[in-house]
Amino acid sequence: MLVRQPDGPRITPYLAYQTEMAWRQDDARRAALASIRTEGDLLRLQVELRAKLLRMLGGLPSTRTPLNAQVTGRIQMTGFHIEKLVFESLPGIFVTALVYVPDRGRRPHPAVLVASGHSANGKTHYQALCQRLAARGYVVISWDPVGQGERSQFWDAAAKKSRYNLICGEHAVLGNLAYLAGTNLARWEVWDGMRALDYLLTRPEVDPARISITGTSGGGLQAAMIAALDPRIRVAAPSCYITALPMRMSNRIFEDPDSDPEQDPYGMIADGVDHAGLLVLMYPRPVFVAAAALDFFPIEGTRRTFREVAAVYRRFGHPDRIAMHEGYHKHDFSVENQAAAFRFLDRFNGVPADPRLATTTTLDDEALRCTRTGQVLLDHVDGRNLMDEIRDYYNAHVNSPRAPLSVQYFGPGYPGVSRWRVAPYEGSDSSTRQIQWEAAGTSAFDGVSIDRYVLHHSGGLAMPLLHLHSEGTRGRRVLLWVSDRGKADARDWSAMQQSLADGYDVVSFDGRASGETRMRYTALSIDDPSLAQKDFDHAYTSPLSGVLANYVYNALLTGRPYMLQMVEDVEIAARFARLRLGATDISITATGDAYTLAHDAADILPGLRLLPDDNAHVLSWAQLVKEKQEVWPIQYTLPGGAYVR
């Protein structure tokens, strides 16, 4: 029987299932890299990895449109000055940036792109790092990522703040919509960085042969992806980002639950890329990994990934071009790690070694504003919101062929439920190719028998299931009744009675991560604690920071969307109904948003008939994109879904 787990963070069976799937996929990735024998083999692997990464991002823009760069202000510092810059990475997509320019030293200077991590004030948060680099003789550019700093996409002018938040909240809204359009928010983040580099190369102070990139956390992601895709980057130093994604899947709910879709490109693990693949794409260029022993990016994953890629550099004669420094601290580009990164950057950029770090001066947000109002979309009323860009991306690709849902469902990730045997539970749920049923008791109410079962499947998952039928009889007609809450409860009793009166037995169940199988834990956002102040049901399902959203992103990393896994649960329940309950006619229905699942399951699974419901509707992914819908039930996120419906 299913034992209720205590409240609080837990490695649930479903989380274990997800990570086990990820490790199996990672085994294949590591075996492929280990099979490399020649440098030619490695270069061919790079071509494959690059194509996969670009596919995950939905490609990059094909045209470098005019930057229309404008310097909006200048601050004189000691030994360098700061220029306030606004440029257009795409027509109408305005980027706010700071350029730190040494006043002394031999020109042209080496340059560093400093990608901003997650912070409400974006580039301003990383000014000390930029100042230290400028004092060493580097030209530095640091910019606000979309959704941070001066680039809010959801600014409430009356409240003078974002409708979400400027750390991860806006990224969740933007990134989830990007999934539906078959792309990823990182596409635009990478492009902003590439255009920042384009701008640097227009400056006579910059040596184009000595361009580096660094950044921490979300800036580490950008640094890694930009360096992986842009060979003009000669040295890369990502901080507090590199790990092994199966380990990240295990701890994200507890340590860093905020939704951040750019960190979860669809198939990143399944397609054999992971963070190791990003580093492999940088070979043979110098790479430095800054890490924190107490980071929520698991340090063991960092060590594992670094050792794996360092072995490749050694194998082909470049052991000096890859290094790692690990500080004993939490998630931060510490001064200790910066000093180690600077030594590495200086060595490969021909900068004289200097163990000292310059003293920095903290300037407030207003002093470093690049815009008059503090928000670029208020200054530039002709600017474009990234939600418009995502919609236009969809419109530009709407005629591209896409596999229908049934093809996606029965594709390579399909576990073969239609061939599973149904058998009594024998005390072990290790089998992955059968449904083992366990009787969990019977009760009766108002002339209705309620038989309770637990279905064990998939090597550790359990599905609580109810079979409702008239006392003393069992029918051949079965109605699968699904809900976003899980199986039916007292609130649904009148609907159950009506279905029984219509001649159906009713089967209702808790799919994976729903109902009794939910993790009874409210994930506390480290960036926006107010998100955890909702009631449990709303906190659990929040698309901005919640347990369910993290399950959804884990599923995307492994290439089997949670939406399709919910259909697997329907198929498991239907197979049990046929082979154990004797059903010969199976229908399905639902209320509210869950009707989307009922509709799609009936469309995908042979022999399953959809019953109409006057109070139900089917989500149109295309409509969500076209209408620039900001939030919807996160469990129905399907990459490229807008091209399907």
Side-chain angles (χ1 to χ4, degrees), residues 294-514:
L294 306 180
D295 202 347
F296 49 72
F297 285 93
I299 189 61
E300 284 300 331
T302 311
R303 295 165 181 158
R304 178 188 183 115
T305 295
F306 175 79
R307 287 195 297 268
E308 185 180 1
V309 179
V312 173
Y313 273 73
R314 286 195 305 272
R315 190 181 311 162
F316 300 116
H318 303 297
D320 62 321
R321 295 188 186 179
I322 187 166
M324 173 177 160
H325 189 274
E326 178 182 326
Y328 188 77
H329 51 74
K330 294 184 178 181
H331 185 73
D332 179 45
F333 202 170
S334 64
V335 171
E336 172 192 350
N337 280 5
Q338 287 182 35
F342 293 170
R343 289 193 296 271
F344 191 87
L345 292 174
D346 290 348
R347 178 156 61 94
F348 288 100
N349 284 293
V351 174
D354 186 348
R356 299 169 299 176
L357 295 182
T359 301
T360 63
T361 301
T362 301
L363 303 175
D364 63 28
D365 292 0
E366 187 171 354
L368 292 175
R369 279 183 180 173
C370 300
T371 60
R372 177 182 54 82
T373 63
Q375 285 299 321
V376 72
L377 288 179
L378 295 182
D379 271 27
H380 295 270
V381 294
D382 57 336
R384 287 173 56 77
N385 191 295
L386 199 70
M387 297 287 273
D388 295 318
E389 279 291 321
I390 294 169
R391 179 201 58 201
D392 290 353
Y393 178 95
Y394 161 73
N395 287 334
H397 294 82
V398 70
N399 292 322
S400 302
R402 298 282 171 149
L405 275 179
S406 59
V407 173
Q408 295 186 45
Y409 180 78
F410 290 111
Y414 178 60
V417 178
S418 63
R419 300 184 296 275
W420 289 359
R421 62 188 292 264
V422 175
Y425 181 59
E426 297 177 349
S428 171
D429 54 1
S430 60
S431 174
T432 59
R433 294 183 176 85
Q434 62 179 332
I435 302 163
Q436 296 184 344
W437 58 269
E438 178 184 11
T442 297
S443 57
F445 180 76
D446 200 17
V448 178
S449 291
I450 306 171
D451 300 334
R452 299 187 299 277
Y453 295 90
V454 177
L455 307 187
H456 302 269
H457 64 93
S458 304
L461 297 184
M463 176 190 289
L465 180 144
L466 302 177
H467 175 212
L468 288 75
H469 56 92
S470 298
E471 283 189 277
T473 64
R474 281 188 179 181
R476 296 289 185 174
R477 298 174 69 210
V478 165
L479 176 64
L480 300 181
W481 190 90
V482 295
S483 162
D484 284 333
R485 300 191 309 270
K487 63 183 180 297
D489 60 24
R491 290 169 290 184
D492 309 303
W493 184 245
S494 61
M496 300 301 99
Q497 287 182 310
Q498 183 61 56
S499 296
L500 291 166
D502 290 340
Y504 293 99
D505 284 9
V506 177
V507 167
S508 186
F509 58 89
D510 290 331
R512 59 199 76 188
S514 72

